[in-house]
Amino acid sequence: MKIRLGILASHGGSNLQAIIDHIKKEDVQIEVVAVISNNSSSFAISRAKKEGIATYHISSKTTNDVGKQMIKVFKQHKVNLIALAGYMKKIPISVLETYPNRVLNIHPALLPNYGGKGMYGMKVHEAVISANELYSGATIHLVNSQYDDGRILNQQRVAILKSDNATTLAAKILLIEHKLYFDTLKLLAEDKIVLQ
Ligand code: GAR
């Protein structure tokens, strides 16, 4: 399928940037057509603007219907797939109902472990290190109404060294995330992963 991608991001947007950069380098049927952030001063928004992509600030602090605003943007840009890339808010149920099995998330651990409410960003890596795990990694999954719970589409693991701490582990995982998200989108664009 030709992907018209809408991306939601809250902070740094390095995954957003990696997706954009890979698309430029490879011959793929993927276009990032809109970027939404709950955070108007996020680096994700600056990155998207620099790339000439339409950006939107949609936050529960400024509107009482985040879902409706998001759907309006996605319809306007004919979005057919949504990717959460470091989006730290729960996605409104109305968006999931309008785009069933069309919302992806990236999580910095090997789900189903180290996911769920409150498990995001550094908290995930701190929990993994405290549990003395030998491996962690990244997961791309479909979003449903529960945190980090939908069908797993792709995963990659990394070994944890004795010398690793949460900060070094986060850096290693972010690096693999940057390739894994694009690779998964490419598999979708080439119909090698099919979303029901
Ligand atoms: C990434 O590590 C992503 O997996 C994580 O936030 C980071 C965002 O980085 N997401 C979650 O923890 C969601 N549960 P980025 O803004 O530089 O792409």
Side-chain angles (χ1 to χ4, degrees), residues 11-15 85-86 88 105-108 119-121 148 174 177:
H11 299 296
S14 71
N15 273 292
M88 298 303 174
N105 182 41
I106 187 159
H107 186 78
M119 272 292 176
Y120 57 86
D148 305 322
L174 197 58
E177 286 184 38

Side-chain angles (χ1 to χ4, degrees), residues 41 45 59 72 77-78 83-84 87 89 95 111 120 128 141-142 147 151 155 173 179 186 193:
S41 57
I45 288 277
S59 158
K72 193 174 155 197
H77 290 279
K78 298 189 169 54
L84 312 189
Y87 185 65
K89 299 282 178 191
V95 173
L111 291 175
Y120 57 86
V128 169
H141 66 96
L142 284 179
Y147 280 104
R151 176 184 158 201
Q155 280 186 314
I173 291 179
K179 183 84 177 24
K186 190 174 171 195
I193 298 176

Side-chain angles (χ1 to χ4, degrees), residues 57-84:
H57 172 227
I58 301 178
S59 158
S60 57
K61 289 180 187 148
T62 53
T63 172
N64 43 30
D65 201 342
V66 168
K68 196 173 166 189
Q69 298 299 320
M70 284 182 174
I71 292 165
K72 193 174 155 197
V73 167
F74 293 144
K75 293 231 154 115
Q76 186 188 332
H77 290 279
K78 298 189 169 54
V79 163
N80 60 3
L81 194 72
I82 297 160
L84 312 189

Side-chain angles (χ1 to χ4, degrees), residues 131-163:
N132 290 316
E133 296 284 1
L134 295 177
Y135 296 96
S136 188
T139 303
I140 310 287
H141 66 96
L142 284 179
V143 177
N144 63 17
S145 58
Q146 308 297 313
Y147 280 104
D148 305 322
D149 181 58
R151 176 184 158 201
I152 291 172
L153 301 179
N154 210 351
Q155 280 186 314
Q156 192 177 334
R157 67 178 199 174
V158 292
I160 302 174
L161 307 178
K162 282 210 161 54
S163 54

